[in-house]
Amino acid sequence: MKKTGSNYVAGCSKVCKTASPACVSGAAAPCYQECCQATPKTSCLKLDGNVHFNGAGQVALAPILKLLACVDLCLCWPFLDHELHAVQGILAGEESVESRLLGLVRTHGEHALFLYTHRRMAITAEDVCLERVVPITEGFAAEEVTPDSDLHIIGSDVTVQISSEDAQLVVRLPFGSHTRTFLQEISKCRPGVVGSEDINENEKNLVVNHSWSHNSDDKATPRQSESKMDVTSEMVRSSSGMVSDKACILSEQKFGLRDTIVKSQLVLKEDSYTYLQNFRFFIGTYNVNGQSPKESLLPWLSHYVEPPDVYCVGFQELDLSKEAFFFNDTPKEEEWFKAVTDSLHPGAKYAKVKLVRLVGMMLLLYVKADHALNISEVETETVGTGIMGRMGNKGGVAIRFKFHNTSVCIVNSHLAAHTEEYERRNQDFKDICSRMQFCQSDPNLPPLTISKHDVILWLGDLNYRIEPLGLEKVKMHIEKEEFQGLYQYDQLKKQMDAKAVFDGFTEGKITFQPTYKYDTGCDDWDTSEKCRAPAWCDRILWKGKNISQLNYRSHMALKNSDHKPVSSIFDIGVKVVNEELYRKAFEEIVRSLDKMENASIPSVILSQREFFFKDVKYMQLQVETFTIRNGQVPCQFEFINKLDEDKYCKEWLIANPSKGFLLPDSEMTIELELFVNKSTATCLNSGEEKLEDILILHLDRGKDYFLSVMGNYLPSCFGSPIQTLCYMREPIRDMSAESIRELTLLPLQMSDDIFRDEKPLDIPKELWMMVDHLYRNASQQEDLFQQPGLRSEFEQIRDCLDTAMLDTLLGSNHSVAEALLLFLESLPEPVICYSLYNNCLHCANNYTLSRQVVSMLPMCHKNVFNYLMAFLQELLKNSGKNHLDVNILASIFGGLLLRPPPQHPAPDVTEKRKAQQFIEQFLLREGNSP
């Protein structure tokens, strides 16, 4: 086989029969072996699978990889019979990461590792260039390592450290069977590796001994029963593409405009190279009420005869302790993980794919071992929707992944409690949907939202209740098994019918009695003082095509909690890739792309270039949209940084998506989201900053477009300093911009004669209004400061404080309580000044010293601190009704009143506990009522 130009010609020739062998000195040249004269610009491939050339030690070796690039687009060369292997990886340097092609080559019985730089997708020989050769000799080693930066990223690639006498490299390779084969072949090539036993041992050291599953949201190490010890999570890992042998092209991480277009076109042509195959999914949800596992989960997880292909198991209220709530730390995670692993269907072996937890919500994903290599692109995300919109006692956790060529998103959520809070539950659902975003492996693509998946499975304690039926009527329906009649009063059904929540989702027919609330340890309905009415709190819904629900039921056999677990079995049609058809589609796309690539520079039309946001308010999102219409050339776009700026926009603005690509004649809608929060409100209140920005929309290989963004901000007490508010006797909206600016910029420690004609208020009137409202109306309110309010009510409360249009605050007690916490969080200088932060931590166990620290505060800050302590002491007097205690209040307010300075590292658990202890000291002392 001889290379001429960019072509290779194979066959028998008369020249070969008569010419002296040129490839290997002294070798015979029978007809089955085409020989050629090898020169620095040509090389030849003997049909025994080896690459040969004259002067192997001196000749430039680029032709070898040019052969690789031309032989097969997906870099798999089965006809070379293990003599040549290649993989694409990332070369990690001290300051940058760069893509490389790695080739393992044998010549004359010796092996070497060839590293090539490349551009685009290395479709043609001219796209690659030899960078270095690493001989595999004595002293060569290739070992998998876990960089410090990757400890928390289970989706990272396989990191391999390559060492030789004159080279030290670290490369990241895409996880999958192709990489595993490549590493195994390197292991076989190492000097001294002789015989199958040595090879197997080396392969084990190189490839098998991994810690695939350790990261911050995946802490539990797989501990399966003896029958399952040989199937662990090392078989599954996030990667940039499919990891099956049949689709090794998709596992290559190649980013850029050309590659993004190819992938996009492949998605459009997906039906031409995939076929549907049904796989069985088990979906289960269980609110365990803070209990440890005391009974086998087999009746729930292994109830069905046929073992499922995929397990998705969700828990809520895993741990109800204060440590779990405030520090997200619990031993229950390991306990329930082991209980699930031990109770998976005994008829199959399973590999754990992922575990993710947020406080009491945990989600586990397992697959059958023989499906493990078909799982890819695994990512997790969490969203807390509890108090202040962040606390994780309520919210959702999710795992997204690709199964063959179908994208799947599993969401486990715990929504707001109490019968009357259905609107809050609706809001929780919307918050999870809007805030749950998964990073993509291609940095040129925007994050994926839940809705951008082929299959969505949503499970959890959704907390929707049955109303307006009374307790006895509900129980009467249940006794008669009139479940469909009772279902007509179900809040979730009503809200779905009104399209207020779960729009487009489907729930199967409910044929089982409500799953909440039972007395623990039996099947009796709640006999506690509250005597909760039964409800279908625990639900499973789905969205997508080719989904068939086979079963939907509860499991009464489990009595460990006040909830009953629920399960559902689905047959889901998954898109499986046909390798041959995929290759044809890929080659067609590349050919057509080559033709159009140099046609002209990209050009787009923007529907709008100037935007004005009117009357922007604190923590109230405003959105403006425009469309980008593309011309005849594919284009990559991105909002880029302006000169001397490290971000493409101001902190209060975001473009969604901020980058992407457009096929010819296509268009995309861009949302400009303006949101003022605690980090930007102060400068906007004072007028130091304006709502003004210029965005630069850059086209790859094209020109830049400039967008003007402006708006007017309505000043708010939120984000204003305590001292400023104490000098404001009028509502902040009634004051001139100059007055607000002057008061906001006052130094914190000022002399008494700056304002001789006016004495400041002892505390801000806005703070007094909120505390006074809670003192009069919410002293006995259950779950105060632990259950969030409604966003619409917060906006009413904010407007009331900023305008004083009403004498009383509107909204529920929970909404006022949350507004108070948000107010304290928004203070640019916390109640306990930054300068005293470390002093407070040092004297957290000494009340006398703590009082001395408080006495050092500016007068207005000291007044606020004492006022709040007195108020919290009053709440504790009603702890029998509101269920508050010193630990809860100290934990909540400790992190708000005592915050680390801006440049201080994020506080660890020890610092958080000291802040809590500092506040506890004052709550345990008697004080005066507010």
Side-chain angles (χ1 to χ4, degrees), residues 13 19 21 75 93 114 148 208 247 252 321 353 361 417 435 515 573 637-638 687 787 790 812 837 841 887 917:
S13 70
L75 303 182
F114 291 49
D148 293 341
V208 179
E252 299 172 20
S321 68
V353 179
M361 295 171 287
R435 292 166 52 195
T515 56
F637 71 85
E638 180 178 7
Q787 180 167 321
L790 288 173
S812 68
Y837 176 75
L841 298 186
N887 289 332
Q917 291 167 2

Side-chain angles (χ1 to χ4, degrees), residues 46-276:
K46 289 171 59 176
L47 297 189
D48 62 358
N50 293 328
V51 177
H52 301 271
F53 49 86
N54 287 336
Q58 292 79 34
V59 175
L61 303 182
I64 294 178
L65 201 67
K66 291 180 181 180
L67 167 64
L68 307 188
C70 295
V71 167
D72 197 308
L73 287 174
C74 71
L75 303 182
C76 298
W77 305 276
F79 63 84
L80 289 176
D81 193 23
H82 303 291
E83 301 302 329
L84 187 147
H85 298 269
V87 68
Q88 185 190 6
I90 301 295
L91 180 64
E94 294 182 357
E95 299 180 355
S96 63
V97 292
E98 300 175 344
S99 180
R100 292 291 187 272
L101 294 173
L102 284 74
L104 175 62
V105 181
R106 188 184 82 174
T107 178
H108 301 299
E110 297 180 350
H111 296 83
L113 194 61
F114 291 49
L115 274 73
Y116 291 82
T117 60
H118 70 97
R119 61 186 178 90
R120 294 202 303 269
M121 301 180 70
I123 298 300
T124 66
E126 287 71 25
D127 288 335
V128 297
C129 181
L130 177 68
E131 183 180 57
R132 71 171 72 187
V133 178
V134 182
I136 300 180
T137 58
E138 290 293 336
F140 176 90
E143 300 175 332
E144 183 180 355
V145 296
T146 304
D148 293 341
S149 60
D150 286 346
L151 285 177
H152 66 290
I153 305 175
I154 200 170
S156 60
D157 298 325
V158 182
T159 302
V160 179
Q161 181 171 294
I162 298 172
S163 305
S164 68
E165 293 180 354
D166 57 355
Q168 190 84 11
L169 308 172
V170 176
V171 295
R172 295 206 305 267
L173 307 177
F175 177 77
S177 59
H178 190 61
T179 291
R180 199 158 44 244
T181 300
F182 183 80
L183 294 176
Q184 288 170 351
E185 292 304 318
I186 290 180
S187 176
K188 294 176 183 179
C189 297
R190 292 164 58 195
V193 179
V194 181
S196 60
E197 291 183 2
D198 291 337
I199 291 175
N200 290 338
E201 182 63 25
N202 278 283
E203 289 177 6
K204 179 179 178 181
N205 291 337
L206 265 173
V207 184
V208 179
N209 191 19
H210 303 308
S211 298
W212 298 109
S213 63
H214 179 72
N215 78 340
S216 60
D217 57 31
D218 199 348
K219 300 174 183 175
T221 302
R223 285 195 264 169
Q224 302 196 10
S225 60
E226 287 297 318
S227 63
K228 298 169 184 172
M229 284 302 291
D230 57 337
V231 182
T232 65
S233 60
E234 69 187 23
M235 306 181 67
V236 185
R237 201 170 178 199
S238 306
S239 66
S240 62
M242 300 186 62
V243 293
S244 64
D245 288 329
K246 293 185 177 182
C248 58
I249 298 175
L250 296 182
S251 70
E252 299 172 20
Q253 291 194 5
K254 292 185 284 252
F255 306 133
L257 175 59
R258 181 184 177 94
D259 315 308
T260 305
I261 294 172
V262 169
K263 291 176 182 178
S264 176
Q265 292 280 20
L266 283 170
V267 171
L268 296 177
K269 292 177 175 289
E270 189 176 52
D271 292 342
S272 69
Y273 60 83
T274 61
Y275 60 92
L276 288 180

Side-chain angles (χ1 to χ4, degrees), residues 228 253 373 781 800:
K228 298 169 184 172
Q253 291 194 5
L373 292 181
Q781 176 71 56
C800 182

